[in-house]
Amino acid sequence: MGNFKIHFQSETKFENIDQIIENLTKIVGSERISVDMIDRIAYGKDYWLISNLMTLKGTLPCLPDIIIWPQTAKEVSKIIKLANNYKIPVIPYGEGSGVVGGALAVCGGIILDTKYFDSIEINSTNMTVTVGTGLNGAVLERHLNEHGLRMGHIPQSIRTSTIGGYIAHRAAGQFSGIYGKMEDIVLSMEIVLPTGDIIRSKTYPRASVGPMVDRLFLGSEGTLGIVTKATCKIWPMPEKQGKLSYLFSDLQHCLDAIRETLQARINPGVIRIYDKKETERHFGETIKESKDKIMLIFVFEGIKRLVNLEMQITSENCEKYNGIDTGEKPVDHWFETRFKVSEASEFGPYDQVMDTIEIACMWDKSKEIYDAVINSLLSVPGIYLASGHASHFYTTGVCWYFTFSGIPKEGKDHFTLYNEAWDATISTVLKTEGSASHHHGMGINRGKWMQLEHGEEFKLLQKIKSTIDPNNIMNPGKLYPDEIQKKEL
Ligand SMILES: Cc1cc2nc3c(=O)[nH]c(=O)nc-3n(C[C@H](O)[C@H](O)[C@H](O)COP(=O)(O)OP(=O)(O)OC[C@H]3O[C@@H](n4cnc5c(N)ncnc54)[C@H](O)[C@@H]3O)c2cc1C
C-alpha cells in the first residue's frame, strides 16, 4: 500500500462498543443509528482515488463501526460528549465526494452523517441564506433559482456534495470569479466543538472585534468540530450571461491576457484555460481550429451594460496577446460537458492510475510551475500522460489543475505509482513556492506535506488542534498524520 497507513479493519477495537451503541441509541432512537455491515461498507469509502482503486480491487480503505444520523445540534453535542467519554473517533460525513480521503474512518469509530441538516431560510433584504450544512449543493441552488436568486457556488460535484463539505475544504466553484470561494460566501456558522459545546458566530457584513473564531473552521476538514448551520451570501439572478473564447499559441501570452484583465478589475465569473493536450481532449472534436492551441473561455454574469463593457475590455486584452476569437461555441460545449466526470471512472477498470492535483501559485511563478510539474510528472516511470488546465484566477495568481495517468511498470503496484506521481508534483510545487492544494484540501494523501506547507505555523496548528480537541476524537488521521501513529493503528 505504499506509504499510506490505512488498512481494512473488519473487527472493532473499541472494548465498550456494545455500551457505546446502547447509549447512542438513547440519543437518536433506533431508526437513526446503524451497525449493519451493509451501511458500514457504504460509508467505508469516499471519492479519493485510492478509495476507488481499493473498492475496484474488492477491498475498502476502512470500516467505520457505527453510522449515526442526528437531526439537531443538541443531538450532535450529546453524541460528541459520549464519544469523548469513550474516546471513540467521530467523523463528519457529507456526501463522500471529497477526493483526499477526508471522510474516511481510518481509525474506525462513528460516522456522523449530516443529511438531516437540510433547512433553508432566505433573507432577501440582507441577501443571505441560512442552511443546514448537510444540504446538497444542487438542491440549494435549485431552490434559490426558483426564487430568482443564486448562491453561485457551483463545484463540478454540486449534485453529490454538501455545504458542510464545502466549508470543511474551503471549496471553489466554477463561477468563483464573481461569487467567490467558500470563505467569501460564508458569513457565520453554528459549530459543535469536540467537547460538545455549541458555538454560534454573529452574522454581520464586517466587524473589528478581535480574531474571528469561526474562520478557523473554514478548511478544518472535520478535525475541529462539526459545522451544523451556516449563513451564506446570495445574489439576484443575472440579467445577462456573456460568453467569449480565444485560442492562443503561447501559454505565457494567454496567462498575460488574463492577468491584465483581472488586474484592471474586470471580474469574469468563469475563466478557464486548457493546455494543448487538454484542448485536444476537450475541444478537439467540436472546434477543429483548436488543434495544437491553448483554449481560453470566459463566462460573464451581471447587469447587461456592465457585462458588455467587461466583455469588450477582455476581448481587447486577448487580442493584444494574439488571441484568436472563436466565439461562443467552445463555451457552449463547456456548459454541455461541465459536469461530465466519466474520465476517472472509465480509467480504473483498465488498470490505469489516474488522478488530478490542484495547486495554487502567484502570477510570477505561474508558467514556471506549470512547466516544472508537467516535466516532473513525465519523469516518473509509468506515467504516460501529464496535462493541465487552470480554472480559478486572482489579481495575484492562479490555480493550476494537473491530470496524470499511468500504468505501473513491471514490479511496481498501482499505489506506488500513485505515490510517486503525487510526490513528484507536490515536491515540485513546494520547491517553486506554490501551495500544495487550492480547493480539494489535504485529507490523508496530502497530510504528509502539512509540515512543509505551513513551516513554523504548523506547530501552532497542532497546538490549536490539541487545545480544542484534547482527546483527538474529531476525524483523527487527517491534516495531522502523526496522530494515526500516536493511536497505534
Ligand atoms: C467529480 C468531482 C468533482 C469535484 N469538483 C470540485 C470542485 O469543482 N470544487 C471543489 O472545491 N471540490 C470539488 N470536488 C471535491 C469535493 O466535492 C469537495 O471537496 C466537497 O467540498 C466535499 O463535500 P462532501 O459533502 O461530499 O464532503 P465529504 O466528502 O463527505 O467530506 C469531506 C470532508 O469534510 C468534512 N465534513 C463534511 N461535512 C462536515 C461538517 N458539516 N462539519 C465539519 N466537517 C465536515 C469531512 O469530515 C471530510 O473531512 C469534486 C469531487 C469530485 C468527485
Side-chain angles (χ1 to χ4, degrees):
M1 265 283 325
N3 54 12
F4 295 112
K5 299 200 179 324
I6 303 173
H7 54 264
F8 183 76
Q9 289 170 266
S10 57
E11 296 297 325
T12 182
K13 56 188 175 52
F14 300 99
E15 282 170 18
N16 303 317
I17 194 76
D18 292 336
Q19 223 175 343
I20 295 172
I21 294 165
E22 194 186 323
N23 286 329
L24 286 173
T25 309
K26 283 186 194 150
I27 298 171
V28 296
S30 56
E31 292 293 303
R32 289 187 281 117
I33 184 167
S34 175
V35 288
D36 293 349
M37 190 50 92
I38 188 78
D39 288 324
R40 295 171 63 195
I41 289 174
Y43 285 87
K45 66 180 290 296
D46 66 357
Y47 215 84
W48 180 28
L49 184 105
I50 296 296
S51 273
N52 285 336
L53 215 53
M54 290 182 85
T55 313
L56 283 167
K57 289 182 179 296
T59 178
L60 278 177
C62 66
L63 193 69
D65 296 277
I66 301 167
I67 321 297
I68 197 159
W69 293 269
Q71 281 180 334
T72 62
K74 271 195 185 146
E75 282 183 355
V76 175
S77 163
K78 286 182 190 167
I79 294 165
I80 294 197
K81 280 184 181 154
L82 191 139
N84 252 309
N85 280 344
Y86 289 101
K87 304 212 174 17
I88 182 170
V90 178
I91 303 95
Y93 199 100
E95 296 197 10
S97 72
V99 289
V100 290
L104 297 179
V106 286
C107 305
I110 307 167
I111 289 274
L112 189 149
D113 187 322
T114 58
K115 257 184 203 60
Y116 279 104
F117 291 81
D118 61 352
S119 59
I120 309 180
E121 218 178 298
I122 297 172
N123 182 326
S124 52
T125 305
N126 294 338
M127 289 302 271
T128 59
V129 65
T130 301
V131 292
T133 49
L135 188 67
N136 173 277
V139 171
L140 172 61
E141 199 62 20
R142 205 161 41 234
H143 181 86
L144 291 170
N145 292 172
E146 283 162 8
H147 290 77
L149 300 165
R150 70 180 311 188
M151 191 163 94
H153 179 71
I154 320 285
Q156 193 185 32
S157 55
I158 189 165
R159 294 163 184 158
T160 56
S161 52
T162 65
I163 309 300
Y166 304 152
I167 292 172
H169 279 318
R170 294 169 64 91
Q174 292 166 343
F175 283 74
S176 69
I178 189 159
Y179 300 105
K181 283 65 184 175
M182 271 329 268
E183 67 273 20
D184 308 310
I185 295 172
V186 173
L187 289 169
S188 60
M189 290 174 239
E190 174 186 82
I191 301 155
V192 184
L193 298 177
T195 49
D197 296 324
I198 304 174
I199 56 169
R200 293 181 185 92
S201 51
K202 251 162 86 175
T203 307
Y204 39 59
R206 185 183 186 278
S208 169
V209 289
M212 294 174 74
V213 172
D214 66 359
R215 297 291 112 176
L216 255 182
F217 293 82
L218 279 153
S220 61
E221 305 197 12
T223 63
L224 295 181
I226 300 185
V227 185
T228 44
K229 214 184 247 187
T231 299
C232 302
K233 288 182 202 165
I234 52 173
W235 304 88
M237 287 298 275
E239 191 187 357
K240 176 170 178 176
Q241 191 170 67
K243 302 168 194 166
L244 288 178
S245 76
Y246 283 86
L247 284 173
F248 288 80
S249 301
D250 182 88
L251 182 59
Q252 188 61 58
H253 281 171
C254 181
L255 291 168
D256 287 340
I258 298 169
R259 183 176 51 78
E260 283 193 19
T261 302
L262 289 172
Q263 290 174 351
R265 289 174 170 255
I266 306 297
N267 289 317
V270 178
I271 311 176
R272 294 178 85 93
I273 57 180
Y274 297 85
D275 70 4
K276 290 182 179 172
K277 281 191 192 131
E278 295 209 10
T279 297
E280 174 68 29
R281 227 169 39 240
H282 295 294
F283 300 95
E285 280 179 21
T286 37
I287 314 292
K288 293 293 171 216
E289 62 269 40
S290 68
K291 192 160 180 49
D292 207 28
K293 293 275 191 303
I294 292 148
M295 177 64 83
L296 165 60
I297 66 165
F298 295 99
V299 182
F300 300 82
E301 282 195 355
I303 295 167
K304 194 171 163 190
R305 280 175 300 159
L306 199 55
V307 166
N308 289 343
L309 189 58
E310 287 190 311
M311 289 173 71
Q312 185 192 328
I313 297 169
T314 305
S315 295
E316 285 165 10
N317 281 333
C318 289
E319 277 153 27
K320 176 177 156 192
Y321 284 100
N322 308 321
I324 303 159
D325 187 350
T326 32
E328 292 193 358
K329 197 173 164 191
V331 192
D332 290 335
H333 178 68
W334 174 74
F335 267 108
E336 281 157 25
T337 53
R338 69 190 168 129
F339 296 121
K340 185 170 175 274
V341 292
S342 52
E343 265 179 359
S345 41
E346 277 164 6
F347 273 87
Y350 294 105
D351 232 22
Q352 310 212 15
V353 176
M354 185 200 183
D355 206 5
T356 57
I357 305 177
E358 31 58 64
I359 60 99
C361 65
M362 301 300 278
W363 277 117
D364 59 4
K365 299 283 177 189
S366 55
K367 174 72 166 50
E368 183 186 337
I369 233 167
Y370 168 82
D371 289 336
V373 170
I374 296 290
N375 289 335
S376 66
L377 273 170
L378 290 174
S379 70
V380 175
I383 296 295
Y384 65 84
L385 174 120
S387 62
H389 67 264
S391 47
H392 303 279
F393 294 87
Y394 304 82
T395 55
T396 48
V398 180
C399 157
W400 278 114
Y401 197 108
F402 298 100
T403 297
F404 70 83
S405 192
I407 300 175
K409 295 254 181 206
E410 233 168 87
K412 210 191 266 183
D413 66 15
H414 292 72
F415 301 108
T416 308
L417 179 58
Y418 179 85
N419 277 334
E420 286 176 357
W422 269 86
D423 286 350
T425 303
I426 301 296
S427 54
T428 305
V429 168
L430 294 178
K431 251 186 257 151
T432 326
E433 294 170 34
S435 193
S437 172
H438 177 267
H439 57 266
H440 284 164
M442 303 298 271
I444 300 170
N445 70 330
R446 280 182 170 117
K448 66 180 176 186
W449 287 293
M450 278 291 284
Q451 171 93 59
L452 267 179
E453 172 69 36
H454 288 278
E456 281 303 301
E457 270 177 9
F458 189 57
K459 281 189 203 140
L460 183 59
L461 276 179
Q462 285 173 311
K463 275 190 195 151
I464 292 171
K465 164 75 176 166
S466 57
T467 305
I468 297 182
D469 183 13
N471 290 324
N472 189 26
I473 58 155
M474 286 305 310
N475 207 4
K478 321 297 163 56
L479 294 185
Y480 312 94
D482 285 355
E483 284 157 10
I484 288 201
Q485 281 136 33
K486 273 191 223 147
K487 280 190 153 260
E488 293 172 3
L489 290 165

